[in-house]
Amino acid sequence: MARMDSLEWLVPWEFSPTLVASFLVAIVLFVRGQRVHHVTRARSILFWTGMVLLYLSLHTRLDYYAERMFFIHRIQHLVLHHLGPLLVMAAFPGQVMRAGLPMRWRVRLRDFLRTGAGRATVAVLTNKIFVPALFVFLVLVWLIPSVQFYSMLDWRLYRVMNWSVVISGFMYWNLILDRRPAPPAAMSPGGRVISPVATMLPQMVAGAVIAFTESDIYPLFELCGRAIAMSAQTDQTIGGLTMWIPAALVEVIGLMVALGTLMRLSAKGRLRKADRDARARAKSSAALSS
């Protein structure tokens, strides 16, 4: 009976065929790509751990509690926005998953990326200003009480909220965990160290404000009925602390990885080489334009 009760936690609160299809596609591509590219055990563990955490947060009974407890909702978003995407992107799955595509799809993807539309898409998805700004914006905008109210009541807006934080998390950690010098990386190694500090601070401030506010900022959870016997103040305080401390710790992990990359590139002299290459390209472009 206890086993059955534990298995019931894996039953989706609201079944989403789109989500299941997305996970299956990602898994199939990664498994197929491993036949082409060697993936270390550590990378495999990071990828599968991140994917499992994302699935458990999005498509199990936990979703029911996230809709009825503010602090569980914040833990859910900690995984969706920070920890899950960080773990998956730390496995550097892009090249592996691209290798998992059928050959004709790989050719089409390559040809698209060479077009103006393809280059523009990549430029937006890896923009060193837009992506970190979007990362922070999607943390804060869903915390606005009126926005939170409607997003928790409308299942379509609720899914938009969850999908948006996951996608922005992938975009952000793709920038921060890049191991290359810039160029070809979109963000400089030094920028990857500074960016987590800049994105961490607004979230910590918002978490502190929520944690120390004595009035009930999100009465929706009281109206819907809390799934756990807990006062609104306690629920809100734990939720704010979740944003303030664990989320900041995840960003510190990303910062430390970026710092390690900076030190490694510097020790190998690749930062200076990247600067020389960039200056040479700039001179070439100036000569051609004149």
Side-chain angles (χ1 to χ4, degrees):
M1 185 67 179
R3 184 181 176 185
M4 287 299 295
D5 289 342
S6 63
L7 290 177
E8 286 178 1
W9 279 88
L10 298 178
V11 178
W13 172 239
E14 292 180 347
F15 180 75
S16 170
T18 304
L19 186 146
V20 172
S22 300
F23 271 80
L24 287 176
V25 168
I27 289 169
V28 169
L29 291 180
F30 190 79
V31 171
R32 282 171 54 93
Q34 286 181 302
R35 301 172 187 171
V36 179
H37 289 283
H38 172 69
V39 179
T40 64
R41 184 177 181 83
R43 287 174 62 190
S44 292
I45 291 173
L46 287 169
F47 178 82
W48 293 113
T49 302
M51 292 293 287
V52 168
L53 286 175
L54 288 172
Y55 183 86
L56 292 176
S57 298
L58 282 168
H59 210 234
T60 62
R61 185 75 176 181
L62 178 68
D63 208 30
Y64 166 83
Y65 288 89
E67 292 179 4
R68 286 160 178 80
M69 297 297 299
F70 178 69
F71 85 92
I72 296 179
H73 174 61
R74 297 322 307 162
I75 293 173
Q76 180 192 45
H77 273 224
L78 169 66
V79 173
L80 298 182
H81 202 216
H82 290 72
L83 185 58
L86 170 67
L87 292 172
V88 172
M89 297 313 295
F92 304 104
Q95 191 177 28
V96 179
M97 294 174 72
R98 179 158 40 185
L101 289 168
M103 180 57 71
R104 64 180 182 276
W105 290 10
R106 272 184 273 170
V107 172
R108 289 178 182 175
L109 177 61
R110 181 200 63 192
D111 293 341
F112 171 73
L113 293 177
R114 290 175 177 174
T115 65
R119 289 193 296 270
T121 301
V122 172
V124 171
L125 295 179
T126 60
N127 186 278
K128 62 183 180 181
I129 303 298
F130 170 71
V131 172
L134 180 67
F135 184 76
V136 175
F137 173 78
L138 288 174
V139 171
L140 302 180
V141 71
W142 297 114
L143 288 172
I144 298 172
S146 58
V147 176
Q148 176 95 148
F149 182 86
Y150 289 108
S151 64
M152 300 303 284
L153 291 180
D154 188 327
W155 67 268
R156 292 160 297 189
L157 190 55
Y158 182 77
R159 289 187 179 178
V160 168
M161 173 179 64
N162 285 344
W163 277 100
S164 68
V165 296
V166 172
I167 293 171
S168 70
F170 280 131
M171 291 166 59
Y172 181 69
W173 294 117
N174 176 56
L175 283 184
I176 302 303
L177 301 180
D178 199 324
R179 296 177 294 182
R180 303 169 298 169
M187 183 180 284
S188 70
R192 292 173 226 158
V193 176
I194 296 171
S195 183
V197 177
T199 56
M200 185 194 315
L201 291 176
Q203 299 174 68
M204 293 177 68
V205 171
V209 169
I210 292 171
F212 291 117
T213 299
E214 296 183 357
S215 60
D216 188 0
I217 304 176
Y218 305 106
L220 167 74
F221 295 95
E222 194 70 39
L223 293 173
C224 293
R226 285 184 164 79
I228 300 174
M230 181 181 292
S231 69
Q233 183 62 53
T234 302
D235 187 12
Q236 189 169 288
T237 299
I238 298 174
L241 290 174
T242 300
M243 289 185 61
W244 186 2
I245 300 173
L249 288 176
V250 175
E251 297 232 27
V252 169
I253 292 172
L255 184 155
M256 296 303 293
V257 174
L259 181 60
T261 298
L262 174 65
M263 296 173 65
R264 176 178 57 83
L265 292 174
S266 179
K268 293 183 176 180
R270 295 185 65 190
L271 296 181
R272 293 187 295 274
K273 183 178 183 301
D275 289 339
R276 289 196 299 270
D277 291 346
R279 286 195 294 269
R281 278 192 292 271
K283 288 180 181 177
S284 241
S285 299
L288 289 173
S289 62
S290 60

